[in-house]
Amino acid sequence: MQYFPLFVDTQGLRVLLVGAGEVATRKLDLLARTDAIIHVIAPDIAADIDTYHQQGRIRLSRRAVTQDDIADIDLVYLATANEQLNMDFADIANERGIWVNVVDNPRYCRFITPSIVDRGRLVVAISTAGAAPVFARTIRSRLETMLPASLAPLFDFVASKREEVQQTLANGKDRRLFWERFFNSNQDRFDNLTEQRYVDAFQDMTRQGEILLLTEHTPANLLPIAAMPLLQKLDVIFSDESLNSETNELLRRDANRTQIPKLSDIAHQYEQGDRMLIVAAPDKIAQLIAYFPMAKHLRPGAL
């Protein structure tokens, strides 16, 4: 993974944007949605950027950039038509430990801006590490149709209830179960029944245990598609061997990982409502299926 994805709190973040043409305008349209403090420097200013200045959203300097400008800032975007200037100032920013992005020149970028689907508190970022931005936009267009605009107020509602849920449900597993019930009943939308669905989600907090079985060395790309949501809900992963990276990528990262315990311990955790994945050799899988007939064996093409 060349680029590590992370989300930065933009409250008080100081951003310098050098350039004020069409490319810079596209970057500013995105940056202006954040809480960042934005300074734009360019001798010639596009009308849209001047509008942001008139609205008081940005600080604007109508002049050429200088080395003194690359100081006391957190991020730099270089978006001028002068490639040499962009590269020269990228070198200056890197020397001073300031993260820099040179538009359309990944080699000089300390960070890149991914393609983004914005639903308020829900933000999805897609990147191809600068290799194929057209493909990233294709994925984004698909996600735009999958994620309705009503998700924005829905997540505002959820944010307003998080502290209440934490105070009401002390157990982390109970909180996960509650939010699963809420989102399953709410069907990714916000309407006048959302408050009632929130109340209803507290009514039955019984946790249903689940046992998933996976034969060792099963290629991740052959796992049934129907298993993917289940793998993201796991509480515990039992395996006597290290799992390959492809399989690990499909599993809930916060799930506990440990060696396979005694059958009686597995039964106890099932009764407690734990969702488990057991990765074992074929003979062990056969033993588990005989002992736990309710278990689901994840086999290629079947669930």
Side-chain angles (χ1 to χ4, degrees):
M1 186 187 298
Q2 179 185 0
Y3 292 95
F4 182 77
L6 54 85
F7 288 86
V8 178
D9 184 354
T10 60
Q11 185 72 46
L13 193 74
R14 297 160 300 179
V15 179
L16 173 64
L17 174 60
V18 181
E22 180 182 351
V23 174
T25 300
R26 292 200 303 268
K27 292 297 179 187
L28 185 57
D29 287 340
L30 189 60
L31 289 168
R33 301 183 198 175
T34 73
D35 295 323
I37 301 167
I38 306 168
H39 182 194
V40 178
I41 299 177
D44 300 310
I45 306 298
D48 288 344
I49 289 183
D50 189 53
T51 298
Y52 281 114
H53 179 235
Q54 296 299 324
Q55 294 171 344
R57 179 62 189 88
I58 64 171
R59 174 188 168 198
L60 180 60
S61 297
R62 301 173 186 264
R63 57 173 174 79
V65 65
T66 70
Q67 292 191 24
D68 291 340
D69 294 315
I70 312 296
D72 299 323
I73 52 176
D74 300 303
L75 299 179
V76 181
Y77 281 91
L78 294 163
T80 78
N82 186 331
E83 285 192 31
Q84 190 59 55
L85 182 147
N86 291 342
M87 292 186 290
D88 289 345
F89 277 87
D91 287 338
I92 294 170
N94 281 316
E95 289 171 2
R96 298 178 180 180
I98 298 170
W99 284 26
V100 61
N101 175 283
V102 178
V103 178
D104 295 331
N105 194 340
R107 190 162 62 92
Y108 278 82
C109 291
R110 187 68 178 85
F111 71 96
I112 58 177
T113 304
S115 186
I116 292 174
V117 178
D118 183 2
R119 294 294 183 271
R121 295 176 186 271
L122 175 64
V123 177
V124 181
I126 311 107
S127 172
T128 60
V134 171
F135 183 75
R137 287 196 293 270
T138 299
I139 298 299
R140 174 193 167 190
S141 67
R142 296 174 185 173
L143 289 172
E144 288 281 4
T145 61
M146 292 171 56
L147 301 174
S150 59
L151 280 175
L154 175 62
F155 278 90
D156 286 340
F157 174 85
V158 168
S160 72
K161 298 295 186 179
R162 279 192 64 83
E163 185 174 343
E164 180 179 302
V165 173
Q166 288 175 334
Q167 292 175 350
T168 305
L169 304 173
N171 187 286
K173 291 179 183 178
D174 287 340
R175 290 197 295 271
R176 288 200 303 274
L177 176 63
F178 167 82
W179 287 119
E180 285 175 14
R181 287 169 51 83
F182 171 77
F183 284 112
N184 287 338
S185 66
N186 219 62
Q187 298 180 351
D188 298 340
R189 69 179 184 274
F190 178 83
D191 56 29
N192 57 0
L193 295 178
T194 296
E195 182 73 45
Q196 184 59 51
R197 296 189 187 102
Y198 171 80
V199 173
D200 292 343
F202 283 105
Q203 300 311 305
D204 181 10
M205 296 305 297
T206 303
R207 294 202 301 265
Q208 178 63 50
E210 193 151 23
I211 299 175
L212 306 178
L213 305 176
L214 179 63
T215 304
E216 288 177 348
H217 310 306
T218 300
N221 64 321
L222 296 183
L223 290 176
I225 294 177
M228 302 309 165
L230 302 177
L231 297 177
Q232 284 297 314
K233 296 179 180 179
L234 296 171
D235 297 305
V236 186
I237 300 165
F238 293 128
S239 179
D240 291 335
E241 293 188 9
S242 297
L243 302 181
N244 61 60
S245 59
E246 291 80 8
T247 300
N248 255 321
E249 192 65 24
L250 302 176
L251 309 180
R252 179 171 169 259
R253 291 190 173 91
D254 293 337
N256 293 328
R257 288 164 166 78
T258 187
Q259 293 187 321
I260 301 174
K262 296 184 294 185
L263 295 178
S264 59
D265 291 335
I266 296 174
H268 176 71
Q269 290 193 237
Y270 175 78
E271 292 169 359
Q272 294 299 309
D274 280 351
R275 297 161 175 170
M276 296 166 276
L277 171 68
I278 307 174
V279 184
D283 58 338
K284 184 68 173 180
I285 291 291
Q287 179 187 6
L288 290 164
I289 290 174
Y291 197 91
F292 300 107
M294 80 294 286
K296 298 177 182 177
H297 189 191
L298 306 183
R299 294 168 295 173
L303 180 59

